[in-house]
């Protein structure tokens, strides 16, 4: 029983993601940034179309979607620095 319990701890103590994890995180950050820009463009386009049509009353929908897009951009943008700050997660 004790050898079985020591196995996962021994594996967790030597885990190091290496440079592949950093490149994957960079790729995800770039894709998230591109998705955020696309979301901002889409929200802006919908706001402009609504203004051109003169349909009142849906301003909160656009502001809410703009808020969620910006919040997602902040979360995606801060993921890399948070992981870099934590460093290797050896237990």
């Amino acid at each position: 029983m004790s050898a079985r319990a020591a196995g996962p701890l021994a594996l967790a103590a030597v885990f190091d993601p290496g440079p592949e994890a950093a490149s994957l995180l960079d790729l995800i950050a770039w894709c998230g940034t591109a998705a955020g820009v696309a979301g901002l463009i889409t929200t802006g386009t919908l706001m402009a179309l609504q203004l051109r049509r003169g349909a009142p009353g849906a301003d909160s929908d656009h502001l809410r979607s703009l808020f969620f897009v910006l919040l997602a951009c902040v979360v995606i943008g801060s993921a890399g620095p948070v992981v870099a700050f934590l460093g290797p997660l050896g237990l």
Side-chain angles (χ1 to χ4, degrees), residues 4-85:
R4 187 174 185 206
L9 291 177
L11 289 176
V14 297
F15 176 72
D16 184 23
E20 295 87 14
S23 65
L24 179 64
L25 190 60
D26 289 341
L27 177 67
I28 291 172
W30 275 105
C31 291
T33 303
V37 169
L40 289 174
I41 290 172
T42 304
T43 303
T45 303
L46 291 175
M47 290 173 78
L49 288 174
Q50 180 183 357
L51 179 65
R52 183 170 171 88
R53 279 188 250 141
D59 295 333
S60 64
D61 292 338
H62 296 303
L63 290 177
R64 184 172 46 234
S65 64
L66 186 65
F67 170 74
F68 283 129
V69 168
L70 291 176
L71 182 67
C73 288
V74 168
V75 168
I76 290 170
S78 65
V82 166
V83 171
F85 175 75

